[in-house]
Amino acid sequence: MNSRLDYAALVRAAKRLDTIQTFSKVRLALLSDAATQQFVPLLRTLLHRQGVHAEIYEGAFDGFQIETLSPASGLYAFAPDVVIVLNAVQALRASYAARTGGGREFAEGRLGTIASVWDAIHAHAPKAVILQSTYVMPYERFFGNFDRKVPDSLYAVAAWLNQRIAEEARVRTHVLIHDVEAVASWNGRREWFEDRLWDMAKSFCAFSLLPEVAKNIVDIVLSLRGRVVKCVVLDLDNTLWGGVIGDDGVDGIKLNAHGDGEAFYRLQAYLKELLKRGVLLAVASKNEMENALLPFEKHPDMLLRREDISVFQANWSDKAENIRVIRQTLNIGLDSMLFLDDNPFERSLVRGVLPEVLVPELPEDPADYVRAIAELNLFETTSFSAEDVRRAELYREESVRRSEQGQYADADAFLKSLEMKLVAARFDCFHLPRIAQLMQRSNQFNLTTHRYTEAECEALMHDPGVLPLYAKLSDRLGDHGLIGIVVLAPDGEELVIRDWLMSCRVLARGVERHLMNLVVAEAQARGCTRVCGEYIQTAKNGMVREFFEQFGFTKIGDEPGHTLWILPVSAYEPVATFIATVPETAQ
Amino acid sequence: MANADTHQRIEVIFRDILDDETLVLRPEMTAGEVENWDSISHIDLMVGVEREFGLRFTTAEVAGLKNVGDLEALVEKKRAASGK
């Protein structure tokens, strides 16, 4: 299975990191009741390998309660993007031993402390995301198996705290969990606990497992910065079922809930859950379309149905070409696609032609597929919204639109027929998860690519000095959901467009024109005479380089990768669109 | 004086962890004389030596080490006792 990361090699590599290859920076603060010196170089190295340069602040050992409460502390002067709170069960064990009341009382006190640390951080660093650890389950079971029945035992206290930490984090969007207990259990708590290292160096685990903890944090940090798998592209024969449909027929392929087809059934069940949480599925198969569809339509044990597949490519072109077609249809980045294929030839072809696509090795035995994929932890996310649940449906509606489009004389006639309705409103609590998600995910239509977290979006929502707007679009064929964000900041005579981003699902429909009409009307209503805008170049947002120009803005600043634009309100003629603005409830 | 095998293998570990390919260990050497040998890398060195020889030091043994010579002697003693 997957090989472990090597502690010594990572520590060595940490000494040779250059900053030239990295293109983005993150400020991490690490607060712990264990020592973290051994841990920091690992975080640094693993982030560097992903192109992220980490500035890391280490809080004083076991001093973070005081540090988080004091507004003048080094922590807040550091201005962290992410605060990692790492609580060691070894420290919990020591306080537990010194408790005066009952175990449950002790646990409640500890939970109160943890929540007050979060709230202090949030009060003094409202933009920071907090990553709270879980407690690793201790090895002592004072009552043996009966331990779980005794609410006072250390074992039960740790379990209770983990449960309650998760519950408290659910009501705070700025708190995410980094599940250290999951890392320890998966790798083995027998190896995890090294009491000697705790005694000598206050290390919370064996050094051999430190890289696994670091990787877990790195996965979350990357996800906060927009790394996300949006679509899984699937091979069919011997990946989604056993055998070759073209040769074996629908009765001959291996696929069932028990027996020799269970491995494939398990993979489908796994994919179905991913689909429910918003990951799109696509097919790239070397098959006749008619054959490829057969199991989806006729096989009683197929968990995945035709409507679960957003783009279905079955033909004799090479797989890289088909992945390109899927990418274009879904309008997503190649680096947000994962390709699963049992055939090593196809995997290496795709890796060679499309190096951005994630192509994991699949084990020889299909029984090991799900485990191999799950171990890579590829589906990390920092939010889950109502939009995710509907995503596959949204894309399905989109494909109906595309097929209808051909029936109209021209694009305008088609757009008119859609009867589009748009809601534009100030950020509100209900939409925050989706707003933050769009902030983190949209790459192409994004003028400034500020990656605001959910906590930062919430801060914008409360800030009377800015006008943060979201836009939702629906039409005759369905609801697109929340697809655009425009953050405006009035500044005297000027209305400044701080951010403007849109989901690529809704390009070429006039949404941006409609929104620009609204922005200029807003400027007028506020008595502003000019609208100002900014474009910050990234590797992916070339499509909006000349965005302002089409609306008659004049370029007033032109540095490499960064342009500034201005438009006199009086010079603007509203652009015709086929979209009606409606209030929130009418949609 | 430790035997050549013990000495060489410990030296490789030290060079590796302290990131100094030219480091030459002498028995009377202490942490204060060697660049990068601080309290953090000390634990890495101990764990690295343990792993190299398949041994395990007690907390008291680690605390009792005064210099490189002590460490080499401790490894020798443990190797002799365990047959490694």
Side-chain angles (χ1 to χ4, degrees):
Chain A
M1 288 281 147
N2 294 295
S3 56
R4 282 258 193 85
L5 293 158
D6 183 62
Y7 170 72
L10 287 171
V11 171
R12 240 185 344 267
K15 294 170 181 152
R16 315 200 196 294
L17 301 181
D18 59 82
T19 50
I20 299 155
Q21 288 177 9
T22 55
F23 49 83
S24 77
K25 290 188 165 58
V26 65
R27 303 177 70 79
L28 301 177
L30 191 49
L31 308 177
S32 182
D33 47 18
T36 50
Q37 297 98 321
Q38 250 85 12
F39 188 55
V40 166
L42 308 179
L43 269 182
R44 216 187 282 290
T45 311
L46 291 177
L47 279 166
H48 186 273
R49 287 184 182 173
Q50 302 291 333
V52 180
H53 174 73
E55 295 284 338
I56 300 181
Y57 172 86
E58 278 182 89
F61 165 66
D62 204 15
F64 64 81
Q65 256 178 281
I66 303 158
E67 195 158 11
T68 50
L69 289 172
S70 157
S73 70
L75 169 66
Y76 301 127
F78 174 73
D81 301 316
V82 178
V83 181
I84 300 160
V85 182
L86 212 158
N87 292 123
V89 74
Q90 292 89 339
L92 184 76
R93 167 195 285 152
S95 322
Y96 176 81
R99 76 191 180 287
T100 48
R104 176 48 68 86
E105 242 177 293
F106 166 79
E108 277 165 8
R110 178 53 65 121
L111 180 70
T113 308
I114 291 169
S116 69
V117 164
W118 295 348
D119 294 345
I121 295 170
H122 190 50
H124 300 303
K127 291 183 171 182
V129 173
I130 298 165
L131 301 192
Q132 172 66 49
S133 65
T134 49
Y135 282 106
V136 175
M137 295 302 290
Y139 55 72
E140 310 91 311
R141 297 192 299 167
F142 301 112
F143 298 83
N145 287 285
F146 199 77
D147 238 274
R148 283 196 185 267
K149 294 190 72 169
V150 183
D152 264 0
S153 75
L154 177 61
Y155 198 82
V157 162
W160 183 86
L161 277 169
N162 286 346
Q163 179 61 31
R164 292 288 296 122
I165 283 170
E167 286 164 8
E168 291 293 325
R170 279 176 209 159
V171 297
R172 292 172 177 84
T173 57
H174 53 280
V175 179
L176 299 174
I177 302 289
H178 74 103
D179 200 350
V180 178
E181 160 54 27
V183 177
S185 291
W186 177 249
N187 289 286
R189 289 187 290 133
R190 290 173 92 162
E191 182 180 344
W192 177 273
F193 285 108
E194 268 258 33
D195 288 331
R196 207 173 37 133
L197 289 180
W198 173 259
D199 297 345
M200 290 194 286
K202 292 290 168 284
S203 176
F204 55 88
C205 69
F207 290 170
S208 56
L209 290 176
L210 282 171
E212 301 296 322
V213 183
K215 179 189 176 291
N216 199 49
I217 291 175
V218 167
D219 284 347
I220 303 173
V221 170
L222 292 175
S223 157
L224 278 168
R225 302 175 79 78
R227 188 187 78 169
V228 62
V229 170
K230 295 177 183 171
C231 175
V232 182
V233 179
L234 300 159
D235 168 54
L236 296 178
D237 292 331
N238 287 317
T239 300
L240 222 47
W241 53 70
V244 177
I245 184 66
D247 297 339
D248 303 331
V250 79
D251 305 328
I253 57 168
K254 286 181 199 161
L255 175 67
N256 40 28
H258 308 284
D260 60 355
E262 191 170 351
F264 302 99
Y265 188 85
R266 178 163 55 245
L267 178 63
Q268 292 201 17
Y270 180 78
L271 295 166
K272 191 103 185 178
E273 287 305 316
L274 289 175
L275 180 75
K276 283 182 188 160
R277 94 167 213 18
V279 177
L280 299 169
L281 304 180
V283 163
S285 167
K286 284 189 173 159
N287 255 313
E288 296 297 336
M289 185 57 113
E290 198 182 324
N291 287 335
L293 285 171
L294 267 179
F296 288 88
E297 288 159 354
K298 299 266 167 61
H299 201 291
D301 288 328
M302 273 298 281
L303 280 172
L304 294 177
R305 312 309 306 184
R306 173 63 187 90
E307 61 268 24
D308 296 332
I309 308 298
S310 294
V311 186
F312 204 113
Q313 293 293 113
N315 51 47
W316 301 98
S317 316
D318 81 61
K319 299 238 173 177
E321 188 47 42
N322 278 315
I323 291 173
R324 279 205 199 93
V325 172
I326 293 165
R327 190 206 79 81
Q328 267 164 12
T329 312
L330 299 175
N331 222 333
I332 57 178
L334 284 169
D335 59 359
S336 62
M337 299 175 83
L338 174 73
F339 175 59
L340 298 182
D341 197 314
D342 68 296
N343 186 334
F345 168 82
E346 302 290 2
R347 294 199 297 263
S348 77
L349 175 112
V350 171
R351 277 193 204 113
V353 181
L354 305 171
E356 302 99 317
V357 175
L358 284 163
V359 186
E361 278 302 287
L362 283 189
E364 197 186 335
D365 188 345
D368 298 326
Y369 284 175
V370 172
R371 176 172 160 167
I373 300 162
E375 271 197 75
L376 295 172
N377 191 29
L378 295 165
F379 301 98
E380 194 68 56
T381 186
T382 58
S383 63
F384 182 56
S385 69
E387 206 93 9
D388 291 321
V389 182
R390 284 195 62 233
R391 182 160 296 117
E393 204 181 318
L394 292 169
Y395 278 97
R396 205 157 47 243
E397 290 164 2
E398 180 59 22
S399 67
V400 174
R401 280 184 202 97
R402 275 167 196 265
S403 62
E404 275 198 11
Q405 187 163 3
Q407 302 160 15
Y408 288 88
D410 57 28
D412 280 1
F414 169 66
L415 289 178
K416 202 170 172 190
S417 78
L418 284 177
E419 297 162 25
M420 290 182 279
K421 296 188 178 75
L422 183 133
V423 172
R426 192 180 174 96
F427 286 10
D428 57 35
C429 291
F430 179 73
H431 292 99
L432 274 183
R434 169 61 182 161
I435 289 168
Q437 193 176 55
L438 200 56
M439 289 275 199
Q440 276 146 27
R441 285 178 163 212
S442 59
N443 298 310
Q444 300 177 76
F445 198 114
N446 197 334
L447 289 168
T448 51
T449 320
H450 298 134
R451 298 287 190 206
Y452 297 107
T453 62
E454 194 163 336
E456 287 171 298
C457 293
E458 193 178 350
L460 284 173
M461 176 177 94
H462 292 301
D463 187 343
V466 295
L467 181 58
L469 299 172
Y470 67 80
K472 296 203 295 186
L473 185 73
S474 63
D475 63 31
R476 179 169 59 82
L477 296 169
D479 190 353
H480 296 275
L482 196 154
I483 42 74
I485 294 170
V486 180
V487 179
L488 301 171
D491 183 9
E493 292 273 291
E494 291 173 354
L495 186 64
V496 180
I497 299 171
R498 248 204 236 172
D499 301 279
W500 187 314
L501 52 127
M502 297 200 330
S503 160
C504 285
R505 291 204 299 261
V506 296
L507 295 183
R509 264 159 225 242
V511 173
E512 63 274 27
R513 296 181 197 172
H514 189 80
L515 285 172
M516 186 60 90
N517 289 348
L518 294 179
V519 167
V520 177
E522 179 68 29
Q524 242 160 0
R526 287 173 178 261
C528 298
T529 57
R530 294 182 298 275
V531 178
C532 304
E534 177 182 26
Y535 167 74
I536 302 171
Q537 189 185 346
T538 67
K540 292 182 177 172
N541 69 350
M543 70 154 68
V544 287
R545 191 180 297 119
E546 304 303 330
F547 173 76
F548 289 109
E549 197 171 12
Q550 62 176 305
F551 295 106
F553 281 67
T554 310
K555 203 188 285 181
I556 54 162
D558 195 356
E559 287 168 36
H562 189 185
T563 51
L564 296 171
W565 303 78
I566 197 155
L567 173 83
V569 169
S570 57
Y572 185 76
E573 285 289 326
V575 199
T577 67
F578 300 99
I579 302 171
T581 306
V582 296
E584 173 68 87
T585 47
Q587 212 187 11
Chain B
M1 191 70 186
N3 80 40
D5 177 64
T6 303
H7 174 80
Q8 264 174 13
R9 283 162 71 184
I10 292 179
E11 196 167 72
V12 169
I13 306 266
F14 270 63
R15 286 177 174 184
D16 194 23
I17 289 173
L18 301 178
D19 201 26
D20 178 358
E21 281 309 310
T22 62
L23 181 68
V24 178
L25 290 184
R26 288 171 284 105
E28 69 282 7
M29 223 174 213
T30 61
E33 303 167 44
V34 182
E35 200 186 349
N36 293 337
W37 186 354
D38 54 20
S39 61
I40 300 163
S41 55
H42 185 68
I43 304 291
D44 285 339
L45 289 170
M46 296 302 117
V47 173
V49 170
E50 280 184 339
R51 196 165 68 164
E52 172 66 23
F53 294 97
L55 302 170
R56 190 178 163 88
F57 305 140
T58 67
T59 314
E61 283 166 345
V62 173
L65 300 175
K66 305 257 180 311
N67 54 32
V68 169
D70 282 0
L71 175 65
E72 290 183 345
L74 179 64
V75 171
E76 294 273 279
K77 191 182 94 183
K78 296 225 150 197
R79 287 184 77 184
S82 68
K84 290 174 183 169

